[in-house]
Amino acid sequence: MSSGFGVVRSRGEKQRAIELEKKYKVSSGGLDSYADPPVDEHSIEFLRDCAMDRYQLLKAIDNAVSAGKKGDELDRAIREAEEKFNLRRVTVTDENYPSMTEDGSVRDSLSHHILRLAHCGGAGKDDEKNERSEKASRRNWFKQMETRLFEYRFRQLSRKEQRLFLASNPDYKSFRVPDREEVLLHQRELAATLESDHDFRNNEAKKRPDGKMTTPEFGRICQEISRQSDRWYAVEFEEVTKSLKTRSAYMVKGEAWVQKGAIVELVEKKFTSHLGLALAKTIRIWEKVKLNETNRLVPLLHSVVNGKSYAYTGPEGVVSIAKIEGTRDSFPLCMRQLYGALKKKHHLTHNGRRQLQLYLKGIGLPLEEAIVFWKTEFTKSPECSAEKFEKDYAYGIRHAYGKEGKRVNYTPHGCQQCIAADPGVRDDHGCPFKTLTCGEHKNGEKLHEMLTHMNISGGKSREIVDKAKNMHYQIACGMTFAALHNGKEIDAGVHTPHQYYAESRKILAPPEEKAEVEVVAAN
Ligand code: SF4
């Protein structure tokens, strides 16, 4: 079959695409920007394996980030996952061009494009509302993880490979890697601009034990850095004004010159923006794909999204309505917030219902009890009669359990999905470590109030709030867990609200509950 994902090409077009791909493979510096879908032919099984492996790779990145890994530790985790799932694009530099292992690069490109398509598939009419929000969150997650992977890979390239990548990808033509002679030619201007940068001077001074630096010392550092040819990159000025504080760039003959860290940030932003556009475009071609590939690619995409990697086969029946109330202390903050709002308002908006319904399913509440639980709460409101509940809300609960619509047993939302949510003022869903440290809550006081209300000490609460303000939401959640469980931590980090619950029950559950806890924790 064609792996051009159902897009019918003429023979001439296909030949041109193959030639382009070959050229690209030897000239792109070993890194793929995924601008074009692959054109080789592969079996459905091969495509499915590639897609599943990439999902595992992205999941491993997600887990590593959630566990608070960064810098070399995070790089090592990504590298190990690439190797484990045979998705490493090893560069082998020959005399003329760097290239990559054929197998790794083919699997890398195929798997990216299949997952991209799998995250953009359309929704059936009856499932439209639920599926739109599920898919938007998944697409966001996919974009974030792919960007992390790309950023890591770009940093791993040698300067020569980076030059080849930037030069061979039209999307990145506004970036360039100057050669040594050019850097030396502009050395005096670079030194002069560095010397006039107060922020740079302050940062350099901070590296000293006494935090001070004399003007001659600073001058020597500027001279030295301005001569380091592997440190500088030239960028069209427009890119800098869009993405960086202009003070991080130095104007040299009408072009902005930036240092290593800044170029990685700019290239990463460009990748995210192109991937966002590509995802939007992929949504539009979905209908065409469906028509051309009803019997081959469409079932594959469904199995990638709904198959073993995403399918939820968790425990059912280990939590009753009565037990929900008794185990509230094991709820993570997001679920305490939703549960509290439900008890207070006897209503939740659509996304809040979905997040809490799937979580309760994840901790083991069976469908029949879920219907009773939601009905009891909703009908406490004078605005919701039993008939209205049956008509407007019961379907959504059955849908979450895979008993309506496409009958997919939906997986409870992971932390990334909750974090990616964008709740409005009437909503209670999302991750409070994010929602209560941004927008009108950016001072973190509301979050601090919630944490102290849970008997977390003021000092500890401030530490957690600071972590959340720095956008380390899952780490802040892990710190909250430790504060509430006598300092015991979740070794693997917090990945999903129902995993938080299971880890908490391992500690807080009475002995007779332990066997059930093992079942929940295993899922
Ligand atoms: Fe919930 Fe995850 Fe946020 Fe913790 S980090 S509050 S479990 S979404």
Side-chain angles (χ1 to χ4, degrees), residues 439-451:
E440 58 168 325
H441 296 301
K442 72 169 185 276
N443 64 12
E445 282 311 306
K446 184 89 198 294
L447 178 60
H448 174 63
E449 201 183 294
M450 275 179 96
L451 295 172

Side-chain angles (χ1 to χ4, degrees), residues 263-287:
I263 193 74
V264 174
E265 193 186 320
L266 288 167
V267 169
E268 180 190 340
K269 282 195 168 131
K270 183 70 104 184
F271 178 81
T272 317
S273 128
H274 281 292
L275 183 53
L277 292 174
L279 286 167
K281 198 168 152 200
T282 309
I283 294 170
R284 289 199 295 277
I285 65 165
W286 169 253
E287 291 307 316

Side-chain angles (χ1 to χ4, degrees), residues 506-520:
K506 280 190 204 165
I507 299 167
L508 304 182
E512 63 275 15
E513 200 194 301
K514 294 283 186 206
E516 292 163 5
V517 168
E518 293 305 321
V519 184
V520 179

Side-chain angles (χ1 to χ4, degrees), residues 234-377:
V235 179
E236 277 179 16
F237 189 61
E238 197 199 333
E239 293 290 344
V240 176
T241 50
K242 266 193 288 181
S243 316
L244 278 183
K245 277 192 238 148
T246 39
R247 255 181 298 158
S248 310
Y250 305 104
M251 291 306 293
V252 177
K253 299 219 181 316
E255 212 174 17
W257 283 49
V258 298
Q259 297 191 52
K260 219 172 193 165
I263 193 74
V264 174
E265 193 186 320
L266 288 167
V267 169
E268 180 190 340
K269 282 195 168 131
K270 183 70 104 184
F271 178 81
T272 317
S273 128
H274 281 292
L275 183 53
L277 292 174
L279 286 167
K281 198 168 152 200
T282 309
I283 294 170
R284 289 199 295 277
I285 65 165
W286 169 253
E287 291 307 316
K288 198 171 174 184
V289 170
K290 264 212 297 204
L291 291 179
N292 293 330
E293 292 285 350
T294 318
N295 298 323
R296 297 183 298 179
L297 202 51
V298 170
L300 161 69
L301 298 177
H302 276 254
S303 77
V304 171
V305 176
N306 303 316
K308 70 172 184 205
S309 297
Y310 289 116
Y312 178 70
T313 52
E316 210 178 87
V318 297
V319 167
S320 61
I321 296 175
K323 205 161 165 191
I324 291 177
E325 194 58 39
T327 57
R328 271 178 71 174
D329 285 349
S330 290
F331 283 25
L333 199 56
C334 51
M335 296 305 160
R336 289 177 189 233
Q337 180 169 274
L338 276 170
Y339 189 80
L342 174 66
K343 288 279 169 183
K344 192 167 158 203
K345 302 191 246 179
H346 310 301
H347 184 78
L348 287 176
T349 53
H350 172 78
N351 289 316
R353 291 199 297 277
R354 190 75 173 168
Q355 191 174 320
L356 185 58
Q357 277 161 5
L358 289 171
Y359 166 76
L360 293 176
K361 180 179 86 166
I363 68 171
L365 186 71
L367 173 60
E368 302 69 36
E369 296 222 22
I371 298 270
V372 175
F373 169 78
W374 286 93
K375 189 171 183 175
T376 309
E377 283 307 323

Side-chain angles (χ1 to χ4, degrees), residues 357 367 370-371 374-375 389 393-402:
Q357 277 161 5
L367 173 60
I371 298 270
W374 286 93
K375 189 171 183 175
F389 178 85
Y393 303 113
Y395 177 92
I397 303 167
R398 290 196 297 272
H399 184 272
Y401 280 75

Side-chain angles (χ1 to χ4, degrees), residues 332-335 414-415 418-419 430-433 473-474 477 494 496-497 500:
L333 199 56
C334 51
M335 296 305 160
C415 294
C418 300
I419 289 166
C431 171
F433 291 103
Y473 310 120
Q474 285 155 276
C477 188
V494 181
T496 69
Y500 178 110

